[in-house]
């Protein structure tokens, strides 16, 4: 089975290679850090210290794991912390957010034995922390053989992933046997992992690290810069469409037009933040073809910035700084069967949150927010969501008290569910 896994991985890489090359040339994807993905990592000297390797897939995982990383360095300053990500956007965020606590930030290697072994020899970790559902067989097995303690932190296993892994249950059981510890977000996540073969004594429930997001971090000089440059005021309330996917922007623009026309007083402004940077130009063209006036964050500042009806935030790692300026936040990836993006950051900022029906990536959290009247979820998706979204935007814009209450409830949910970092540290201390 191990040999078959490697063959399938290699065949998949070969089949997709033309697409990788096309995206690398046209969009700059995948080319970044290619040598590192082959295990050729930047110079690193642990100076004899024990090394903790923290792996985060992309932006969301890097942000979620940051409080844990800070806690590790605070309580165990003698450790060397290194951080890997899979995506280019994750790299940029990690280089910024982890600059003061990580000794090295690099790309995660392809999951071939020779690339993984090369990276492990270079880093020589004592502890490997894998965030959420990063289950790479060769990496986990080779880390185990390298005498590193292998732990999942902030573990999540959706029902859809569980069903998929169920087809290779024997293989999964073998892979999970190499884990020393799996700290899962919820009881349901823990149950699913054990059903796939993880030993019960190794599986614990520690909660979701994203609830420990510090809302104090939301106010920043960048927030003030956005407020001044774009002239954000209560007289023109801002709606942020966060982490959107194709074709959500098209539907959101149509919903925005309806909401704008129905607002006789104080018509809103909209900030659109696509999830993937390679789509910035595509979304810019889409907005340009509408009747809205618009500006881009990446353009040189101009007087148009203060009056533009649409602001395209075509930057990486700046969305959190924009949340304090919003009256309403729509969380993307939820109008299509993607599974939704994170609601935690706008909740920590105390904002009224709206999502579509597809939120299975954060199922437990969304259910908690809904139970506490801390989120509005429309029950329509695709083009059918245009009118319900417009109606919800218009209703909330006309009701400041409800917006405020939704935001207060969202912040309360965040505060009431804090503690995952402390619980995670208690389980990990013996490894450090």
């Amino acid at each position: 089975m191990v040999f078959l896994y490697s063959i399938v991985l290699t065949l998949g890489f070969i089949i997709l290679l033309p697409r990788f090359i096309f995206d690398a040339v046209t969009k700059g994807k995948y080319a970044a850090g290619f040598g590192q993905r082959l295990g050729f990592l930047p110079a690193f000297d642990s100076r004899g210290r024990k090394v903790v390797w923290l792996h985060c897939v992309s932006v969301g995982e890097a942000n979620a794991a940051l409080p844990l990383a800070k806690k590790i360095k605070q309580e165990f300053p003698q450790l060397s912390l290194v951080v890997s990500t899979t995506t280019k956007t994750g790299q940029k965020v990690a280089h910024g957010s982890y600059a003061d606590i990580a000794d090295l930030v690099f790309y995660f290697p392809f999951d071939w034995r020779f690339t993984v072994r090369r990276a492990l020899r270079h880093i020589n970790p004592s502890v490997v922390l894998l965030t959420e559902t990063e289950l790479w067989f060769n990496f986990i097995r080779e880390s185990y053989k390298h005498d590193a303690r292998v732990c999942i932190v902030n573990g999540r296993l959706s029902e859809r992933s569980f069903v998929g892994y169920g087809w290779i249950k024997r293989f999964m059981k073998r892979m999970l046997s190499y884990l020393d510890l799996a700290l899962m977000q919820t009881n349901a996540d823990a149950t699913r992992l054990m059903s796939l073969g993880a030993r019960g004594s190794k599986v614990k429930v520690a909660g979701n690290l994203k609830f420990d997001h510090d809302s104090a971090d939301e106010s920043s000089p960048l927030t003030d810069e956005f407020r001044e440059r774009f002239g954000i005021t209560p007289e023109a309330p801002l709606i942020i469409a966060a982490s959107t996917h194709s074709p959500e922007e098209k539907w959101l623009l149509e919903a925005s037009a309806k909401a704008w026309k129905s607002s006789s007083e104080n018509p809103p402004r909209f900030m659109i933040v696509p999830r993937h940077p390679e789509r910035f130009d595509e979304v810019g063209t889409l907005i340009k073809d509408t009747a809205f006036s618009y500006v881009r964050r990446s353009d040189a500042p101009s007087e148009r910035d203060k009056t533009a009806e649409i602001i395209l935030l075509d930057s990486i790692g700046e969305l959190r700084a924009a949340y304090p300026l919003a009256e309403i936040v729509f969380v993307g990836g939820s109008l299509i069967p993607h599974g939704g993006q994170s609601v935690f950051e706008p909740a920590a900022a105390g904002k009224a949150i709206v999502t579509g029906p597809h939120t299975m990536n954060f199922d437990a959290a969304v259910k908690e927010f809904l139970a506490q009247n801390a989120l509005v979820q429309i029950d329509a998706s695709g083009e059918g969501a245009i009118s319900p979204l417009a109606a919800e935007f218009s209703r909330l814009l006309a009701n400041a008290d409800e917006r405020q209450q939704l935001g207060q409830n969202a912040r309360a949910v965040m505060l009431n569910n804090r503690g995952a970092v402390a619980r995670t540290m208690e389980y990990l201390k013996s490894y450090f």
Side-chain angles (χ1 to χ4, degrees), residues 226-304:
F226 285 163
R227 181 183 290 108
E228 174 61 27
R229 174 177 170 177
F230 297 111
I232 307 297
T233 66
E235 287 69 37
L238 181 67
I239 298 176
I240 294 180
S243 301
T244 55
H245 293 244
S246 178
E248 289 181 319
E249 294 90 2
K250 179 178 182 296
W251 303 328
L252 283 161
L253 285 168
E254 293 185 38
S256 300
K258 288 177 176 285
W260 196 86
K261 290 175 182 177
S262 67
S263 302
S264 56
E265 297 181 3
N266 301 335
R269 301 173 72 193
F270 298 87
M271 177 180 285
I272 297 179
V273 192
R275 176 69 178 87
H276 298 109
E278 61 269 21
R279 297 190 58 247
F280 287 161
D281 289 341
E282 171 195 334
V283 176
T285 300
L286 188 65
I287 301 171
K288 190 175 181 180
D289 290 340
T290 69
F292 287 114
S293 61
Y294 96 106
V295 293
R296 298 177 63 150
R297 156 69 166 144
S298 60
D299 290 340
S302 70
E303 286 303 310
R304 294 188 304 113

Side-chain angles (χ1 to χ4, degrees), residues 1-15 112:
M1 191 66 179
V2 178
F3 178 73
L4 180 61
Y5 169 81
S6 297
I7 291 295
V8 170
L9 190 69
T10 302
L11 287 176
F13 180 82
I14 293 172
I15 292 170
W112 293 306

Side-chain angles (χ1 to χ4, degrees), residues 276-407:
H276 298 109
E278 61 269 21
R279 297 190 58 247
F280 287 161
D281 289 341
E282 171 195 334
V283 176
T285 300
L286 188 65
I287 301 171
K288 190 175 181 180
D289 290 340
T290 69
F292 287 114
S293 61
Y294 96 106
V295 293
R296 298 177 63 150
R297 156 69 166 144
S298 60
D299 290 340
S302 70
E303 286 303 310
R304 294 188 304 113
D305 292 340
K306 290 182 168 57
T307 57
E309 293 154 344
I310 304 281
I311 302 164
L312 175 59
L313 190 64
D314 55 346
S315 57
I316 299 172
E318 295 186 338
L319 176 56
R320 287 175 61 186
Y323 282 137
L325 304 175
E327 294 295 328
I328 301 168
V329 175
F330 169 80
V331 179
S334 61
L335 296 179
I336 57 175
H338 170 76
Q341 298 298 146
S342 173
V343 300
F344 298 102
E345 289 81 4
K351 299 303 171 181
I353 303 169
V354 179
T355 76
H358 300 290
T359 54
M360 63 282 287
N361 289 342
F362 301 91
D363 185 57
V366 169
K367 286 179 179 176
E368 174 71 7
F369 278 91
L370 288 171
Q372 302 302 322
N373 189 31
L375 180 148
V376 173
Q377 186 172 44
I378 65 169
D379 60 3
S381 60
E383 292 188 18
I386 295 172
S387 293
L389 267 179
E392 201 58 55
F393 289 160
S394 298
R395 188 181 67 81
L396 289 174
L397 287 171
N399 195 330
D401 289 341
E402 183 175 357
R403 293 200 310 272
Q404 183 179 17
Q405 189 62 58
L406 281 167

Side-chain angles (χ1 to χ4, degrees), residues 44-52 71-81 101 103 126 425 429-432:
F44 171 68
D45 182 5
S46 66
R47 291 171 289 178
R49 295 176 294 169
K50 182 178 285 190
V51 179
V52 176
K71 193 69 172 175
I72 291 172
K73 290 297 291 184
Q74 177 187 334
E75 295 194 16
F76 298 93
Q78 75 278 11
L79 294 176
S80 177
L81 178 70
I101 56 176
D103 295 303
S126 296
M425 282 298 296
K429 277 183 179 179
S430 61
Y431 298 153
F432 299 151

Side-chain angles (χ1 to χ4, degrees), residues 187-209:
N187 289 325
D189 295 312
T191 300
R192 291 178 190 130
L193 196 71
M194 288 187 288
S195 296
L196 290 176
R199 189 176 300 172
S201 60
K202 295 181 178 181
V203 180
K204 311 292 180 183
V205 177
N208 193 331
L209 294 176

